[in-house]
Amino acid sequence: MIPLLAISAFSGTGKTTLLKQLIPLLQDRGIRCGLIKHTHHDMDVDKPGKDSYELRKAGASQVMVASQKRWALMTETPTAEKLDLTYLASQMDDSQLDLILIEGFKAENVARIMLHREASGHPFPAPMDDYVIAVASDTDTQLAIPHLNLNEPVSIADFITVWLDHVNGPAPGDV
């Protein structure tokens, strides 16, 4: 399975901003990233009036919209009790990816970097569990796990690169 790494924090801390900086930095290092974003809002990626929207609303459980440049699969899940991150990740094409970044899902048992921004007004995220591999903050954390400067995305990308190498282990023939 493709390694998963969550970027988790309270709303307004800068998760999306950081991810927008990290993805191109990781791409520059040859790491192909996918992304799963958790939202608490009822969302719809389709537009009312479009054929795909009307066909989905007519009862199609899955609708794929495809063009030469991209495709998207929309799946209706009205009876799902909760989001299943493992299932969602399994829907990604592992031949196209080296890492799946996760925005949110802070209660899932996956490796994660917790963010804290003092100006956000939110308390420091606590308690830390065994899945937190680092904290990225704009203040000193005084924790026994790695502390990353939230305002230095290059150093965070460096940390992720080293972590990913560790997770993947040595390449075949490297001993």
Side-chain angles (χ1 to χ4, degrees), residues 3 31 98-99 159-169:
I31 300 170
D98 302 306
L99 173 65
F159 177 86
I160 292 170
T161 302
V162 170
W163 173 82
L164 188 59
D165 286 342
H166 176 75
V167 168
N168 287 331

Side-chain angles (χ1 to χ4, degrees), residues 21-39:
Q21 296 167 328
L22 284 175
I23 291 169
L25 292 169
L26 293 168
Q27 281 182 319
D28 289 347
R29 291 162 169 78
I31 300 170
R32 302 168 303 166
C33 298
L35 181 89
I36 299 174
K37 178 180 174 36
H38 182 258
T39 181

Side-chain angles (χ1 to χ4, degrees), residues 24-104:
L25 292 169
L26 293 168
Q27 281 182 319
D28 289 347
R29 291 162 169 78
I31 300 170
R32 302 168 303 166
C33 298
L35 181 89
I36 299 174
K37 178 180 174 36
H38 182 258
T39 181
H40 294 284
H41 308 287
D42 183 21
M43 56 93 184
D44 199 333
V45 297
D46 212 353
K47 295 179 182 176
K50 294 294 186 182
D51 292 345
S52 54
Y53 178 91
E54 298 302 329
L55 293 166
R56 188 167 48 87
K57 291 300 181 183
S61 296
Q62 289 191 317
V63 174
M64 182 178 290
V65 180
S67 73
Q68 187 61 36
K69 296 195 181 260
R70 71 185 55 89
W71 60 267
L73 174 64
M74 292 166 279
T75 302
E76 296 295 314
T77 57
T79 60
E81 291 183 25
K82 71 174 216 157
L83 288 173
D84 182 339
L85 183 57
T86 302
Y87 173 76
L88 293 172
S90 77
Q91 301 306 296
M92 307 283 273
D93 183 352
D94 62 359
S95 71
Q96 301 288 318
L97 301 172
D98 302 306
L99 173 65
I100 298 175
L101 295 166
I102 311 295
E103 183 175 340

